[in-house]
Amino acid sequence: MDAKVFSIKGEEVRTIALNDSVFGREVSEGAIYYAVNSELANRRVGTACTKTRAEVKGSNSKPWRQKGTGHARSGDKKSPVWVGGGTIFGPKPRDYGFRLPKKMKRLAMKSVLSLKTKENAIKVVEDFTVESGKTKDLVGILKTLVPETRTVVVLKDDDAMIRRAGKNIPWVKMLSYNRMSVRELFYGKNIVLLETAAGSLNDFYGDKA
């Protein structure tokens, strides 16, 4: 398929061929779902910790004798039914992350790019940078191209100056074409795709045949 390429002034300058296997394939909602879940799970710290009755500080002796007091029988003050006692089945430090198969990760990325293409949310823009590294210069460019809503800018490489300029813009997320996030793309309302990055995605995710 062909897509329009815009200048930073919002003018159409030429067209670029996008790989149908990357930007025009059938969308797999299941692959997107598992990829987003995987990214969120891998971000969890997993440091929540509670103490069992074996770890709570306290005496091991019975608070009163077994029979004859009128109280319910009790073994020690660390019992989970007592205030200040241990916790039953409480959380322990653990790793919540899980890895997806490589084929599913690739399918999820191609699916989310195809989904955004169908929604007309992707705009291919000729390569640009922000030599000054100033936020106001980047905001001026982006406001010409897309509305001021949640926007993902896909870079051709790890451009330090454009990343610096976009660091303080709350509605902008910067991604490199080889370090993409399915979650950020899925929830992004607009995707600004640099022309060289579009060609790299064609080669990187396109069918080898």
Side-chain angles (χ1 to χ4, degrees):
M1 70 174 68
D2 290 333
K4 298 177 181 178
V5 179
F6 295 88
S7 67
I8 59 175
K9 296 181 180 179
E11 302 170 348
E12 182 183 344
V13 291
R14 54 184 167 274
T15 61
I16 185 175
L18 298 180
N19 196 324
D20 287 336
S21 65
V22 180
F23 294 91
R25 63 160 292 120
E26 182 180 352
V27 176
S28 173
E29 295 180 357
I32 295 175
Y33 169 81
Y34 285 113
V36 172
N37 270 8
S38 175
E39 291 181 12
L40 291 175
N42 292 335
R43 291 174 59 182
R44 293 187 67 175
V45 180
T47 55
C49 183
T50 55
K51 291 183 178 181
T52 64
R53 65 185 301 165
E55 298 168 321
V56 173
K57 184 178 180 180
S59 172
N60 290 327
S61 62
K62 288 173 69 67
W64 49 75
R65 57 197 175 99
Q66 182 82 347
K67 291 179 176 291
T69 63
H71 294 293
R73 56 193 175 185
S74 180
D76 58 47
K77 294 182 179 180
K78 297 185 293 181
S79 170
V81 300
W82 281 53
V83 175
T87 301
I88 305 173
F89 303 128
K92 287 290 185 181
R94 54 166 289 195
D95 181 12
Y96 289 90
F98 63 94
R99 296 182 62 183
L100 290 180
K102 289 183 179 179
K103 288 185 178 180
M104 182 174 285
K105 289 175 68 175
R106 289 178 63 87
L107 175 59
M109 186 59 67
K110 291 189 285 187
S111 293
V112 75
L113 289 173
S114 298
L115 176 64
K116 292 302 177 179
T117 302
K118 291 179 181 178
E119 295 176 350
N120 294 322
I122 294 181
K123 178 169 282 190
V124 182
V125 181
E126 62 181 0
D127 296 344
F128 70 91
T129 187
V130 182
E131 295 181 358
S132 64
K134 293 185 177 181
T135 300
K136 66 177 181 180
D137 294 340
L138 180 58
V139 169
I141 294 173
L142 293 179
K143 283 186 175 180
T144 305
L145 299 171
V146 294
E148 192 174 337
T149 56
R150 189 166 182 169
T151 301
V152 178
V153 180
V154 182
L155 307 174
K156 60 180 180 177
D157 51 26
D158 197 13
D159 189 331
M161 297 306 289
I162 197 171
R163 283 186 178 275
R164 174 183 171 184
K167 192 174 182 181
N168 293 326
I169 309 176
W171 48 277
V172 173
K173 182 70 175 181
M174 299 286 179
L175 298 176
S176 298
Y177 83 92
N178 56 351
R179 298 188 66 183
M180 303 266 274
S181 166
V182 175
R183 174 179 174 271
E184 293 295 342
L185 292 175
F186 181 74
Y187 287 110
K189 300 298 182 183
N190 305 291
I191 298 175
V192 175
L193 182 59
L194 267 63
E195 187 177 4
T196 302
S200 299
L201 289 175
N202 280 339
D203 298 334
F204 192 74
Y205 288 105
D207 295 338
K208 302 303 180 184

